[in-house]
Amino acid sequence: MASKPETRFQKKIHKHLNASIHKEKMANQYRGGTPDVWYSGNYGDLWVEYKWISKPALKARIYVHKLLSGLQAKWLRERYSEGRNVAVILGTPVGAWVYEGGDWEGHHAPTRNTIERAGLTPVHIAEYIQTIVYQGE
């Protein structure tokens, strides 16, 4: 069975992470709203909800909160208010975008052109995750 684009995007990121970073897929049919992956390292942890858009509109802003379920939004909001590191990472064929903390609630809504100009690749996303959870030697 072929994997979904969102899963392939995650795998591309994961292959660039330091091997000592713990990553755990959080999918559970009995527990709704928990983000896709929990990352933990010697410096901290990060909860990430991944989203994928195959064909982002050319000029329209991308409001990622519209892609979240009500339970996902509630979970992220509550954990962020507790001081936890949370993010929504959007992947597209032209690049990626990281919505940190509460940014996913609509405050920062890039366009396809903004994402393309930022040039964030899976390597950049892996580096971002590492800055949150891991302090290397």
Side-chain angles (χ1 to χ4, degrees), residues 40-78:
S40 180
N42 65 0
Y43 188 65
D45 67 348
L46 174 67
W47 296 85
V48 174
E49 177 62 34
Y50 284 96
K51 294 297 179 187
W52 179 264
I53 296 179
S54 296
K55 295 179 182 177
L58 206 51
K59 296 188 182 198
R61 294 200 173 276
I62 299 169
Y63 293 97
V64 77
H65 70 278
K66 294 179 180 180
L67 303 176
L68 299 172
S69 73
L71 286 174
Q72 289 171 332
K74 181 179 187 292
W75 196 102
L76 289 164
R77 191 178 309 110
E78 288 176 354

Side-chain angles (χ1 to χ4, degrees), residues 13-135:
I13 292 165
H14 289 173
K15 77 178 189 178
H16 297 290
L17 288 174
N18 184 295
S20 66
I21 293 175
H22 176 79
K23 55 191 173 301
E24 187 172 334
K25 194 162 176 68
M26 302 306 293
N28 183 326
Q29 64 181 359
Y30 302 108
R31 180 184 58 223
T34 307
D36 293 321
V37 183
W38 169 55
Y39 299 96
S40 180
N42 65 0
Y43 188 65
D45 67 348
L46 174 67
W47 296 85
V48 174
E49 177 62 34
Y50 284 96
K51 294 297 179 187
W52 179 264
I53 296 179
S54 296
K55 295 179 182 177
L58 206 51
K59 296 188 182 198
R61 294 200 173 276
I62 299 169
Y63 293 97
V64 77
H65 70 278
K66 294 179 180 180
L67 303 176
L68 299 172
S69 73
L71 286 174
Q72 289 171 332
K74 181 179 187 292
W75 196 102
L76 289 164
R77 191 178 309 110
E78 288 176 354
R79 299 303 80 75
Y80 180 63
S81 70
E82 294 171 350
R84 308 217 189 277
N85 294 314
V86 300
V88 177
I89 297 178
L90 174 68
T92 76
V94 299
W97 195 262
V98 177
Y99 299 83
E100 292 185 282
D103 287 351
W104 55 269
E105 292 208 76
H107 305 121
H108 299 287
T111 63
R112 174 192 168 122
N113 290 337
T114 306
I115 292 170
E116 198 166 13
R117 281 194 310 272
L120 294 180
T121 66
V123 172
H124 295 111
I125 302 301
E127 289 170 355
Y128 162 76
I129 292 167
Q130 288 179 177
T131 62
I132 303 295
V133 304
Y134 179 73
Q135 282 190 332

